[in-house]
């Protein structure tokens, strides 16, 4: 049985005072939620604040990106080893905003993946097609390409610590969500690729949905048998929405 995982992706948002309030509200609200695992991925400068203010029994924390290199002369980068030093639990890798705004190729995603798994941190690997790719009938081919890059480079042991996130680019931050049926179909496709590596593993790996998930659509999305949680952008910045999505797991 895969325990549902709800991860907040704050993106490049937050200030000390606002974060403190948000984290306090989230911490206060999670007491009753037992069937769901929660995590918050904050910008680097605020990770210490998040790790201090969140109750680690209930909510873990992660980063939104990582260097493809090990420690050394890479001005501005943050290594997986550094994140590990602070008890980081997750790192988002290959988010479509990294791929499109910062030119991250599948090869770079794989380099980052290898750095993260080497530390024992769980990578959250994002895959997803653009609207143009979907309308051209290329959605499966794109997901397959993005997944095969990682699957070819990873051992079964590394994959067992990996979370995948299906994030259709056309649904991210747009308010337009994949229908539960569209999302379920893609999650099945993703799990089929995992099953080609190891059938048992495919049943254990969590595949999250991301892209305008909010309280009003979370229940239906999370009820799909292959949707194991959510990667939540905008709605993770409001404690009541983030908690409502987490509560939708139970409903
Ligand atoms: P969104 O972002 O929930 O604001 O659409 C999701 C994501 O990019 O991870």
């Amino acid at each position: 049985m895969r325990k549902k995982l709800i991860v907040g992706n704050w993106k490049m948002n937050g200030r000390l005072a606002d974060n403190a309030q948000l984290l306090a509200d989230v911490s206060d609200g999670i007491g009753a939620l037992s069937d769901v695992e929660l995590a918050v991925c904050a910008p680097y400068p605020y990770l210490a604040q998040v790790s201090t203010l969140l109750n680690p029994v209930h909510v873990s924390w992660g980063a939104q990106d990582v260097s493809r290199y090990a420690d050394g002369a890479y001005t501005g980068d943050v290594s997986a080893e550094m994140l590990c030093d602070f008890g980081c639990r997750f790192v988002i890798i290959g988010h479509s905003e990294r791929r499109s705004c910062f030119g991250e190729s599948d090869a770079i995603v794989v380099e980052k993946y290898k750095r993260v798994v080497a530390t024992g941190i769980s990578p959250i690997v994002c895959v997803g097609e653009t609207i143009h790719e979907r309308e051209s009938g290329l959605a499966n081919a794109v997901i397959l390409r993005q997944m095969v890059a990682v699957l070819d480079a990873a051992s079964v042991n590394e994959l067992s610590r990996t979370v995948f996130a299906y994030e259709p680019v056309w649904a991210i931050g747009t308010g337009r969500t994949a229908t539960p049926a569209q999302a379920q179909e893609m999650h099945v496709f993703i799990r089929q690729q995992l099953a080609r590596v190891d059938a048992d593993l495919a049943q254990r790996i969590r595949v999250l949905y991301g892209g305008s998930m909010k309280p009003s659509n979370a229940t239906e999305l999370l009820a799909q048998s292959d949707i194991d949680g959510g990667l939540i952008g905008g709605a993770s910045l409001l404690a009541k929405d983030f908690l409502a999505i987490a509560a939708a797991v139970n409903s």
Side-chain angles (χ1 to χ4, degrees):
M1 180 71 182
R2 302 180 294 268
K3 186 168 189 173
K4 294 261 202 283
L5 171 65
I6 303 292
V7 181
N9 173 13
W10 287 4
K11 309 196 178 185
M12 199 166 71
N13 293 295
R15 290 292 183 274
L16 282 174
D18 300 338
N19 302 345
Q21 187 62 54
L22 175 57
L23 294 167
D25 292 347
V26 168
S27 298
D28 283 351
I30 49 178
L33 304 171
S34 57
D35 293 341
V36 58
E37 188 181 338
L38 289 178
V40 168
C41 294
Y44 291 135
Y46 299 116
L47 289 178
Q49 183 192 25
V50 171
S51 68
T52 309
L53 294 187
L54 280 178
N55 179 342
V57 176
H58 295 296
V59 191
S60 48
W61 59 273
Q64 300 171 12
D65 187 30
V66 69
S67 176
R68 64 206 269 214
Y69 303 112
D71 295 325
Y74 301 102
T75 303
D77 259 14
V78 173
S79 72
E81 291 81 356
M82 291 173 180
L83 293 169
C84 184
D85 215 10
F86 282 83
C88 179
R89 169 94 170 82
F90 295 105
V91 176
I92 299 172
I93 295 183
H95 190 282
S96 66
E97 287 152 15
R98 300 290 326 166
R99 293 180 192 259
S100 67
C101 306
F102 302 96
E104 278 188 16
S105 62
D106 291 332
I108 293 175
V109 170
V110 169
E111 285 182 82
K112 293 185 172 191
Y113 177 86
K114 294 301 278 185
R115 291 280 163 216
V116 169
V117 283
T119 64
I121 297 173
S122 290
I124 300 175
V125 178
C126 300
V127 297
E129 81 286 358
T130 63
I131 192 65
H132 176 69
E133 289 161 344
R134 172 161 281 260
E135 286 173 351
S136 313
L138 293 172
N140 286 15
V142 170
I143 305 301
L144 185 62
R145 192 202 74 225
Q146 292 172 339
M147 287 204 64
V148 164
V150 173
L151 296 180
D152 279 356
S155 68
V156 168
N157 185 31
E158 289 168 342
L159 286 171
S160 68
R161 277 180 277 123
T162 302
V163 175
F164 283 87
Y166 170 59
E167 296 209 309
V169 179
W170 46 273
I172 295 177
T174 59
R176 184 177 165 192
T177 320
T179 64
Q182 278 173 327
Q184 168 66 11
E185 187 186 346
M186 295 310 280
H187 282 235
V188 167
F189 180 72
I190 288 169
R191 209 174 299 284
Q192 282 167 351
Q193 309 321 309
L194 296 170
R196 283 157 51 145
V197 177
D198 186 306
D200 176 54
L201 179 82
Q203 288 311 312
R204 285 187 281 119
I205 291 189
R206 290 182 288 194
V207 184
L208 314 183
Y209 169 80
S212 298
M213 193 187 271
K214 44 193 178 240
S216 58
N217 59 29
T219 304
E220 234 191 318
L221 284 163
L222 293 168
Q224 305 302 309
S225 56
D226 286 283
I227 299 185
D228 306 315
L231 184 54
I232 320 297
S236 72
L237 299 172
L238 293 170
K240 81 170 175 22
D241 285 2
F242 189 56
L243 290 166
I245 292 171
V249 168
N250 289 342
S251 58

